[in-house]
Amino acid sequence: MTSRTTPAGAVLLAAGLLVLTACGTKVPGSAAAPSPLPSLSPAPDYAAEAAAAVARHDALFPQVAAACAGKATALPSRSAVPEGLPTDPEARKYAENHGYKQQGTLTPAARCRGDAHAARIRAALDGSESKGAPRTAQELSALLAGMGYAPQAADVYGSSAGDLSFVLSIPESGPCVTGHLTPPVSVQAHAVYVEGGCREPRGGH
């Protein structure tokens, strides 16, 4: 005997299939609903991050902030490269071999901050002569830490008394400040090196 489905039976069958599908039961021949696409994260706002970093710097060093008020808040460039190489073959080879010494460029704001920090550190070193200038890396590290430069941001090194050097990455906003205590004392601000970091890379290409 051939079974025949009445219109009412067809309606009940369709309703049953809908209930099974809604409950998660896979009905043969039915296609699974596509998964929603993952949401894309918004692109980072580098300008806002730079401004926030400078604001944190200014809170740490209000005197430097006052000296550089009104300057643009952009961070120093970390990717600038030399514009050209010499045309003379020997000079060109020398420039290529010493390309690792190239630094980025500083914005006017970063230059102002760097020079202000360099002057601040130099004044502290000059003032320390009455108490006795730092003679060891530990003493120099302590002096810099007392001025607000985090110990982990300072690279202080030296082999003997009077032969001390340091490299600082200014907290939050940069740039770099490098100093040499070997007479004559020198403290200068500069950008990061093209290969990265504040300390001059060793070795060429």
Side-chain angles (χ1 to χ4, degrees):
M1 177 184 296
T2 303
S3 62
R4 302 180 65 180
T5 302
T6 64
V11 171
L12 291 175
L13 178 61
L17 291 175
L18 288 174
V19 171
L20 290 174
T21 303
C23 291
T25 303
K26 185 175 180 182
V27 178
S30 64
S35 301
L37 293 176
S39 58
L40 298 178
S41 301
D45 189 343
Y46 294 110
E49 292 176 3
V54 172
R56 293 191 297 269
H57 163 276
D58 292 351
L60 292 172
F61 305 99
Q63 293 180 338
V64 173
C68 297
K71 297 287 185 179
T73 58
L75 290 176
S77 169
R78 295 178 179 268
S79 59
V81 296
E83 294 183 357
L85 291 172
T87 55
D88 178 73
E90 291 299 321
R92 185 182 184 90
K93 183 177 180 181
Y94 179 88
E96 290 175 344
N97 289 340
H98 290 78
Y100 66 96
K101 292 186 177 183
Q102 294 294 333
Q103 299 172 357
T105 52
L106 294 176
T107 64
R111 169 58 66 186
C112 181
R113 287 194 300 274
D115 289 344
H117 281 287
R120 181 173 182 258
I121 295 170
R122 176 60 190 264
L125 291 172
D126 291 342
S128 69
E129 292 180 357
S130 60
K131 304 176 183 178
R135 293 180 297 177
T136 65
Q138 291 76 13
E139 291 178 356
L140 180 54
S141 293
L143 184 148
L144 294 171
M147 298 179 67
Y149 305 105
Q152 63 267 23
D155 187 2
V156 180
Y157 50 97
S159 58
S160 62
D163 184 20
L164 296 173
S165 299
F166 67 88
V167 177
L168 292 172
S169 175
I170 300 304
E172 298 295 347
S173 68
C176 307
V177 175
T178 295
H180 302 284
L181 273 62
T182 304
V185 175
S186 171
V187 183
Q188 296 181 335
H190 59 90
V192 297
Y193 287 90
V194 173
E195 291 194 354
C198 288
R199 193 168 180 175
E200 182 178 302
R202 296 183 179 276
H205 299 297

